[in-house]
Amino acid sequence: MRKVVLITGASSGIGLALCKRLLVEDDELHLCLACRNMSKAEAVRAALLASHPTAEVTVVQVDVSNLQSVFQASKELKQRFQRFDCIYLNAGIMPNPHLNIKALFSGLFSRNVIHVFSTAEGLLTQDDKITADGLQEVFETNVFGHFILIRELEPLLCHSDNPSQLIWTSSRNARKSNFSLEDFQHSKGKEPYSSSKYATDLLSVALNRNFNQQGLYSNVVCPGTALTNLTYGVLPPFIWTLLMPAILLMRFFANAFTLTPYNGTEALVWLFHQKPESLNPLIKYLSATTGFGRNYITTQKMDLDEDTAEKFYQKLLELEKHVRVTVQKT
């Protein structure tokens, strides 16, 4: 029986590279590309089938920053599939990033220069906005839209006799200091991306606590610093090109500079081959690349506690009740 894998944000960057690598690993897969732009998704589907004709590749339209779209996509998926073996919750945004020049130069001449540039800690702020659903855009796109997708697809995921796996694209930039339970949408802060990735880590831990006995397991990964549309939003491509010699040198001291989407998917592909019940739910799995360009997996214990994770999960359930009532009225 074909394994069925759903990938959000599959038409570019890490998501597209992941599709290609998974089909190289197993060209009998059924990949479902969950994308906002259907013309891009169809083009990716055609290219994947041209190189892997024995695979099955389908598409579904979903915009995780729009709850109506998430509910509609979920309804369609439940009509088309009986189960999902794995869902990659990969779609995400970092809107209007601003580089803190003062922090950049301060970091250059500090003893923590490698850490600062590996995690971008304190270097980036973003301008967030409110979506049509009345939620903070980064929170809804990176966290809540995916949460609702999982909630809707629970019947296709929870099978104790044959476990399913959730794999979240998180970040080394997920900082506890940027997250607050009182403001979990980060409406009052300037680092919504970091906050959303820490929220992702908390949610993954809580999902394991609540769903492991039903056969659903969750893990988080970081693809490292890979040059994608997201990183090109921070600096234009020509600046990255100018910085490349220094970055390649820095890679001998810091493993986070994976640089290409292919390299960035290393941990995501590795997790696909593991028994989800054997993995540590409190560990983040990191894609890493040596100075000589060899890819490998490393791990990091997440800076969180399970009680906070459960409190955050309960807050999401409360918000879910509210938005369901709102969506039903529209």
Side-chain angles (χ1 to χ4, degrees):
M1 182 182 295
R2 291 178 188 265
K3 280 192 172 183
V4 183
V5 178
L6 177 74
I7 303 175
T8 68
S11 62
S12 64
I14 295 296
L16 176 56
L18 177 62
C19 291
K20 294 176 179 178
R21 288 196 64 176
L22 287 178
L23 288 179
V24 169
E25 301 276 332
D26 182 357
D27 61 6
E28 294 292 326
L29 279 180
H30 184 155
L31 282 187
C32 182
L33 317 181
C35 303
R36 182 175 52 184
N37 187 315
M38 286 301 279
S39 61
K40 285 185 178 180
E42 290 290 357
V44 168
R45 176 180 179 273
L48 292 173
L49 287 174
S51 55
H52 301 280
T54 60
E56 190 167 351
V57 183
T58 55
V59 299
V60 64
Q61 186 170 28
V62 62
D63 178 355
V64 286
S65 69
N66 183 298
L67 295 179
Q68 285 280 17
S69 175
V70 174
F71 284 122
Q72 179 58 40
S74 302
K75 181 179 178 181
E76 185 177 335
L77 289 168
K78 284 185 282 190
Q79 291 171 347
R80 287 162 51 182
F81 295 97
Q82 281 73 52
R83 66 167 283 117
F84 285 110
D85 295 281
C86 181
I87 296 183
Y88 284 95
L89 303 145
N90 168 72
I93 59 168
M94 184 197 289
N96 306 310
H98 302 290
L99 188 62
N100 186 327
I101 300 299
K102 182 179 179 181
L104 174 66
F105 281 99
S106 176
L108 277 172
F109 299 103
S110 75
R111 281 185 283 181
N112 295 323
V113 58
I114 299 299
H115 171 78
V116 169
F117 283 91
S118 296
T119 64
E121 183 176 350
L123 295 183
L124 296 173
T125 59
Q126 302 92 39
D127 295 329
D128 206 354
K129 64 181 182 181
I130 303 296
T131 68
D133 298 309
L135 304 173
Q136 295 296 133
E137 184 182 33
V138 176
F139 166 77
E140 182 169 5
T141 305
N142 295 1
V143 186
F144 194 64
H146 283 122
F147 172 71
I148 294 297
L149 183 67
I150 294 165
R151 292 282 290 162
E152 287 293 295
L153 297 180
E154 274 183 31
L156 281 63
L157 290 165
C158 296
H159 302 279
S160 57
D161 57 327
N162 192 5
S164 293
Q165 187 174 23
L166 304 173
I167 300 175
W168 298 80
T169 300
S170 182
S171 173
R172 289 169 171 84
N173 187 243
R175 314 303 303 176
K176 185 176 185 177
S177 58
N178 288 325
F179 178 85
S180 165
L181 274 176
E182 287 68 41
D183 182 27
F184 59 84
Q185 292 193 47
H186 203 75
S187 60
K188 300 174 184 176
K190 287 294 183 181
E191 296 192 49
Y193 181 79
S194 175
S195 174
S196 74
K197 292 306 178 181
Y198 189 80
T200 292
D201 296 350
L202 289 171
L203 178 53
S204 180
V205 169
L207 288 169
N208 280 306
R209 187 171 180 174
N210 287 275
F211 287 97
N212 279 179
Q213 290 188 340
Q214 298 176 51
L216 178 60
Y217 295 82
S218 181
N219 295 99
V220 291
V221 303
C222 173
T225 303
L227 300 184
T228 65
N229 291 336
L230 192 146
T231 46
Y232 288 143
V234 178
L235 293 171
F238 81 92
I239 296 293
W240 285 107
T241 301
L242 292 174
L243 291 173
M244 195 54 64
I247 292 173
L248 290 173
L249 178 62
M250 200 176 297
R251 199 156 71 169
F252 283 95
F253 306 96
N255 58 24
F257 296 101
T258 51
L259 297 184
T260 69
Y262 178 95
N263 294 346
T265 61
E266 191 71 16
L268 289 88
V269 174
W270 180 82
L271 278 174
F272 180 69
H273 294 294
Q274 310 309 306
K275 291 183 177 180
E277 61 270 28
S278 69
L279 298 168
N280 187 336
L282 299 177
I283 290 292
K284 183 177 293 183
Y285 297 87
L286 314 176
S287 296
T289 305
T290 69
F292 295 104
R294 182 181 67 84
N295 296 325
Y296 66 104
I297 313 300
T298 186
T299 59
Q300 178 186 78
K301 191 176 187 306
M302 291 187 282
D303 182 21
L304 51 75
D305 64 84
E306 293 188 59
D307 287 342
T308 302
E310 184 62 26
K311 289 176 183 176
F312 175 56
Y313 179 68
Q314 293 302 322
K315 285 182 176 290
L316 290 184
L317 291 177
E318 291 173 13
L319 181 58
E320 178 192 357
K321 290 179 184 177
H322 172 73
V323 299
R324 283 186 185 277
V325 171
T326 304
V327 169
Q328 286 170 3
K329 288 180 181 179
T330 59

